[in-house]
């Protein structure tokens, strides 16, 4: 009894760093103080419990618009589980992706470097290797898969959390390094990977194979190449003619099985970091039949999509898009229930967001769904563009007992803020300088000043740069063609970015130019350089 009490007192003295006079030397004095000290032990224990780092689950949807969730105003698509997640935590109204398309958004997220510094600034399919767009050729030769890799030793979000004692996993779509290169997930800070290594392979949700760590896992699907059209003369109104596009092994279902297995395995170990990069609702339009039928009943009949704007045909394109979102929502609900059943929910931070705004191809109808919400979503303003519809994304954070239920934040944040934020969450001092600022205080409900600026550059779709400064948003297009004049929008009064006020505000434009001059660096990849800024 006496020895046990001594140990408890030693912990107490160390924990609270009491000065030397309190380190009593004589047994009788120690015993006199014992009741007082033991009475304080619950506070000591409570403080120790609070230092246990939480599990972190980061869910990244693919091409989900700002307005595609019920909690963000969606009226046609049902997302009760994600809405419940928002009700349990905090909704962000001014959160941004790091880029308007897949690979650079993921690079910014995982490295904490904005797209003026990031290794990956656009989608690069590394075409110098051969016929990389040939689906059958890729099946025969895995060296044709994947995108140009990030460098060996890149300090990623996964690596940072590994150093903080986390077991790390990524399930879903990678896109940052081809098989057999230094860029694969298990070389970049992740203990486990399952999913698509290659973005192009994700152009079917019934692929012939996925990857588990470094190896292919072959599925019970046929080799239906992306963009395959209906058979000649087939009746487009006959659902039976779409059978080629609905095979046996649905990749999002297999991925979710791996997620539940991972959570089960880690439930007794903790902490863990799960990066769930779901390919949903990126086209092609493929979803479980039960959900498609649900929305056919809800929306009624509609005209088929015949594949004329890329990807697969779809008998019920609107119903299928909604079905994909609701299926993802269903999985989110199942994951939350699993966390609760395992006793993990109370000590898990869940963040849900999207990699960019809604797409304009593959049979989707973003304007019909109002997928951009308060922002424009039609082609030229959604995915692929630095207008708000292309980069403003939903973001929800839930952490029981830490984040206030039903709270809403207008703090402006961006993907490159995630690394410093999760470093604080994990109690891990960052070993590198990032371009981001932690929004951890905002998560806990504390006041936090807005960033001086947010920065994007994107070398594709003509070449674009955007800078947000307070409510001002400066945008420049066609940089690959010599550049256009700056556009300037007041997002507070003009969220649709309809009224250019650049001529009336030359000082704001000058400030944007100064930020670009300071933040832009020339990319080693010639594909991602700007004639106007880099002289090439």
């Amino acid at each position: 009894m006496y020895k046990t009490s001594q140990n408890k007192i030693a912990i107490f003295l160390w924990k609270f760093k009491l000065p030397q006079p309190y380190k009593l030397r004589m047994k009788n004095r120690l015993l006199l103080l014992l009741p007082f000290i033991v009475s304080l032990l619950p506070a000591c224990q409570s403080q120790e419990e609070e230092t246990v780092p939480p599990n972190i689950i980061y869910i990244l949807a693919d091409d989900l618009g700002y307005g595609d969730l019920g909690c963000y105003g969606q009226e046609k698509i049902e997302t009760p589980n994600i809405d419940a997640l928002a009700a349990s935590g905090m909704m962000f109204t001014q959160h941004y992706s790091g880029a308007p398309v897949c690979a650079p958004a993921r690079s910014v997220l995982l490295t904490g470097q904005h797209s003026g510094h990031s290794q990956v600034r656009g989608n690069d399919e590394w075409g110098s290797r051969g016929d990389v767009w040939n689906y059958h050729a890729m099946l025969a030769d895995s060296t044709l898969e994947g995108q140009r890799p990030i460098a060996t030793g890149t300090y990623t979000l996964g690596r940072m959390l590994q150093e903080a004692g986390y077991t790390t996993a990524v399930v879903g779509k990678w896109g940052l390094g081809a098989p057999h290169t230094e860029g694969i997930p298990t070389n970049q800070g992740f203990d486990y990977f399952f999913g698509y290594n290659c973005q192009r392979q994700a152009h079917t949700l019934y692929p012939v194979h996925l990857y588990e760590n470094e190896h292919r896992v072959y599925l019970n699907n046929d080799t239906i190449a992306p963009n395959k059209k209906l058979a000649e003369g087939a009746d487009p109104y006959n659902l039976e003619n779409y059978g080629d596009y609905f095979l046996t092994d649905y990749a999002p279902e297999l991925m979710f099985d791996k997620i539940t297995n991972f959570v089960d395995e880690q439930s007794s170990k903790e902490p863990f970091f799960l990066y769930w990069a779901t390919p949903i609702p990126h086209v092609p339009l493929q979803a479980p039949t039960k959900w498609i039928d649900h929305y056919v009943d809800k929306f009624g009949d509609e005209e088929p999509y015949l594949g004329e704007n890329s990807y697969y045909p779809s008998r019920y394109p609107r119903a299928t898009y909604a079905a994909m979102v609701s299926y993802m929502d269903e999985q989110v609900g199942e994951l939350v229930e699993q966390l609760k059943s395992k006793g993990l929910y109370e000590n898990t931070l869940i963040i849900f967001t999207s990699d960019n705004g809604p797409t304009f191809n593959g049979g989707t109808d973003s304007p019909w769904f109002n997928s951009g919400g308060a922002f424009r979503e039609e082609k030229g303003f959604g995915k692929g563009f630095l207008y708000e519809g292309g980069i403003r994304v939903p973001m929800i954070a839930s952490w029981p007992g830490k984040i206030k239920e039903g709270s809403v934040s207008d703090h402006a944040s961006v993907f490159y803020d995630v690394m410093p934020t999760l470093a604080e969450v994990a109690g891990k001092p960052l070993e590198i300088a990032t371009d981001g600022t932690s929004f951890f205080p905002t998560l806990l409900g504390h006041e936090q000043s807005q960033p001086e600026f947010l920065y994007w550059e994107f070398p594709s779709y003509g070449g674009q740069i955007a800078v947000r400064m307070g409510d001002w948003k400066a945008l420049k297009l066609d940089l690959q063609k010599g550049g256009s004049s700056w556009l300037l929008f007041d997002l507070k009064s003009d969220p649709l970015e309809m009224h250019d006020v650049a001529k009336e505000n030359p000082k704001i434009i000058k400030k944007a130019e100064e930020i670009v001059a300071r933040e832009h660096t020339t990319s080693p990849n010639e594909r991602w350089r700007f004639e106007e800024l880099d002289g090439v």
Side-chain angles (χ1 to χ4, degrees), residues 102-236:
C102 296
R106 286 160 167 74
S107 176
V108 170
L109 170 68
L110 291 180
T111 65
Q113 306 295 318
H114 66 52
S115 47
H117 297 151
S118 177
Q119 293 181 44
V120 178
R121 306 188 189 185
N123 287 339
D124 183 351
E125 307 308 328
W126 205 5
S128 60
R129 294 173 295 167
D131 193 4
V132 297
W133 282 99
N134 186 320
Y135 189 66
H136 295 281
M138 284 192 289
L139 292 178
D141 181 1
S142 61
T143 66
L144 295 176
E145 291 183 73
Q147 286 63 48
R148 192 179 296 274
I150 55 177
T152 302
T154 299
Y155 195 73
T156 65
L157 189 54
R159 183 162 282 122
M160 178 195 77
L161 290 171
Q162 278 182 332
E163 292 176 357
Y166 281 70
T167 301
T168 59
V170 53
V171 177
K173 188 168 85 172
W174 179 242
L176 294 177
H180 323 298
T181 72
E182 64 273 21
I184 61 174
T186 50
N187 287 342
Q188 295 293 342
F190 290 93
D191 298 304
Y192 178 75
F193 168 62
F194 184 83
Y196 295 100
N197 170 284
C198 176
Q199 294 176 171
R200 299 184 307 281
Q201 292 282 341
H203 289 187
T204 173
L205 296 183
Y206 292 93
V208 174
H209 71 273
L210 294 170
Y211 274 84
E212 188 161 33
N213 297 324
E214 299 85 16
H215 306 290
R216 282 183 173 184
V217 175
Y218 288 92
L219 310 181
N220 189 21
N221 294 326
D222 200 357
T223 54
I224 306 300
N227 301 311
K228 180 180 184 295
K229 304 298 186 285
L230 288 175
E232 186 174 352
D235 179 3

Side-chain angles (χ1 to χ4, degrees), residues 273-316:
F273 170 56
L274 170 63
Y275 167 37
W276 177 12
T278 174
I280 292 178
H282 192 296
V283 285
L285 295 170
Q286 294 172 311
T289 301
K290 74 164 189 175
W291 277 111
I292 297 175
D293 292 344
H294 173 79
Y295 281 106
V296 170
D297 290 343
K298 182 174 182 176
F299 298 158
D301 197 13
E302 57 177 301
E303 287 298 306
Y305 168 66
L306 302 181
E308 62 272 17
N309 194 18
S310 69
Y311 297 92
Y312 296 135
S314 174
R315 173 61 188 88
Y316 300 106

